[in-house]
């Protein structure tokens, strides 16, 4: 992984965190995802006249990825309804790179070197460790944990499918444009069916915020897709998870899921050390690949 690719993935991580923060401010998650997905459709349609149509070999991947993305949105919205999912969310993001590593080895024949493999393992352990630490003293919510694991598998699945698809497409911009246009219609269509005449009044107060989130979302994933044409999938997946702040995910998602105000509580020293290990190991993935590209 070159320094340019590493920088692009880190920028994608920051952008991803930004659109997630915007999405969290929209309390009705169906409304939020409708605006973000619908905005993605508009962006994809706007890009189409200026980008190449993906090559024929990329279309099976693109269509499968669109279906997986819809499944991911469904799992995520369901998970938001579980009060403890906020604590389990880092498990989803933390397990995804491990699953990507296995899938990439099987389908892309990419086996990370020792440095990258160690960084992936430690970073995933750090993210899930912080989430489990936040659950201490409480009875595990297996439904929330199951939703987190299912979400993590869906993240890994579309990551690998898109990695293979964008490499076959001949144009990362063309791939992201068509992917957004295809996958983005499902959630807004469902919202229109469910909300009917209430759709526009419900969307209007959050329209600007949601559309900003969609711009950031498309930009973040476009950077990841470009990086996937130039480096192995697993290290990119792990480095991308530097966008996850496990403590804030735990507090914010749990509070929002319960309809409560988001409290502030200082992180314990053990949690801070775990977060530091996770951050350093994520950085080691990129730095290690720069120093050891073979």
């Amino acid at each position: 992984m070159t320094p340019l690719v590493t920088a692009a993935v880190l920028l994608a991580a920051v952008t991803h965190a930004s659109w997630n923060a915007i999405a969290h401010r929209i309390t009705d998650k169906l409304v939020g995802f409708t605006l973000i997905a619908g905005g993605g459709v508009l962006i994809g349609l706007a890009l189409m006249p200026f980008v190449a149509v993906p090559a024929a070999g990329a279309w099976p991947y693109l269509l499968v990825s669109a279906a997986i993305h819809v499944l991911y949105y469904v799992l995520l919205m369901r998970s938001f309804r579980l009060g403890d999912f906020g604590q389990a969310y880092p498990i989803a993001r933390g397990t995804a790179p491990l699953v990507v590593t296995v899938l990439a080895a099987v389908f892309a024949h990419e086996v990370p070197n020792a440095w990258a493999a160690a960084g992936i393992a430690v970073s995933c352990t750090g993210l899930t460790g912080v989430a489990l630490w936040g659950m201490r003293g409480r009875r595990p919510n297996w439904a929330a944990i199951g939703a987190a694991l299912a979400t993590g598998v869906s993240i890994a699945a579309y990551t690998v499918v898109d990695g293979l698809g964008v490499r076959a497409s001949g144009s990362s911009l063309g791939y992201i444009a068509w992917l957004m246009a295809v996958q983005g219609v499902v959630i807004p269509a469902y919202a229109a069916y469910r909300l009917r005449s209430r759709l526009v009044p419900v969307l209007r107060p959050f329209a600007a915020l949601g559309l900003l989130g969609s711009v950031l979302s498309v930009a973040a994933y476009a950077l990841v897709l470009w990086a996937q044409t130039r480096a192995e999938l697993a290290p990119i997946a792990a480095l991308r998870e530097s966008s996850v702040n496990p403590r804030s995910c735990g507090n914010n998602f749990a509070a929002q899921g319960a309809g409560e105000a988001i409290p502030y509580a200082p992180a314990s020293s053990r949690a801070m050390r775990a977060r530091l290990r996770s951050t350093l190991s994520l950085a080691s993935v990129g730095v290690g690949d720069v120093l050891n590209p073979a």
Side-chain angles (χ1 to χ4, degrees):
M1 190 185 299
T2 66
L4 179 60
V5 172
T6 300
V9 178
L10 289 174
L11 178 58
V14 172
T15 310
H16 180 85
S18 300
W19 85 256
N20 269 263
I22 289 173
H24 299 167
R25 294 181 60 185
I26 303 176
T27 53
D28 187 325
K29 299 310 172 187
L30 178 58
V31 170
F33 284 119
T34 296
L35 288 168
I36 290 170
V41 173
L42 296 178
I43 294 169
L45 293 174
L47 285 175
M48 282 180 187
F50 308 101
V51 297
V53 176
W59 279 96
Y61 296 107
L62 190 150
L63 295 175
V64 171
S65 172
I68 297 172
H69 271 89
V70 172
L71 175 62
Y72 163 72
Y73 283 133
V74 170
L75 287 169
L76 200 56
M77 284 190 289
R78 174 173 173 77
S79 300
F80 278 133
R81 299 189 186 105
L82 299 174
D84 286 341
F85 181 74
Q87 203 65 64
Y89 182 71
I91 296 176
R93 306 303 309 195
T95 55
L98 288 177
V99 181
V100 168
T101 302
V102 175
L103 295 179
V106 173
F107 295 104
H109 309 292
E110 295 178 357
V111 179
N113 59 39
W115 186 288
I120 293 167
V122 175
S123 67
C124 293
T125 301
L127 288 172
T128 54
V130 170
L132 293 174
W133 175 253
M135 296 177 187
R136 69 194 185 282
R138 290 187 292 166
R139 190 173 185 176
N141 184 330
W142 295 112
I145 293 173
L149 291 174
T151 305
V153 171
S154 69
I155 293 168
Y158 74 63
T159 296
V160 173
V161 170
D162 281 336
L164 298 174
V166 73
R167 292 172 182 178
S169 70
S171 169
S172 57
L173 280 177
Y175 189 91
I176 188 69
W178 281 93
L179 178 63
M180 292 298 106
V182 172
Q183 78 175 35
V185 298
V186 177
I187 299 299
Y190 171 73
Y193 169 77
R194 181 175 173 182
L195 299 174
R196 300 182 188 274
S197 61
R198 295 189 297 118
L199 179 65
V200 173
V202 168
L203 295 181
R204 187 180 293 117
F206 303 101
L209 198 61
L211 293 177
L212 174 59
S214 70
V215 171
L216 295 172
S217 174
V218 173
Y221 204 51
L223 287 168
V224 169
L225 289 176
W226 175 83
Q228 288 179 324
T229 65
R230 287 161 172 77
E232 293 186 352
L233 303 180
I236 291 173
L239 193 59
R240 183 188 179 202
E241 300 312 329
S242 58
S243 66
V244 178
N245 181 328
R247 179 185 160 273
S248 63
C249 282
N251 287 347
N252 293 355
F253 281 106
Q256 288 179 358
E260 301 171 358
I262 298 173
Y264 173 79
S268 69
S269 59
R270 183 176 298 185
M272 290 297 291
R273 289 195 298 270
R275 289 172 62 192
L276 179 60
R277 286 194 299 270
S278 177
T279 301
L280 292 176
S281 59
L282 284 164
S284 76
V285 174
V287 175
D289 273 1
V290 170
L291 298 178
N292 301 277

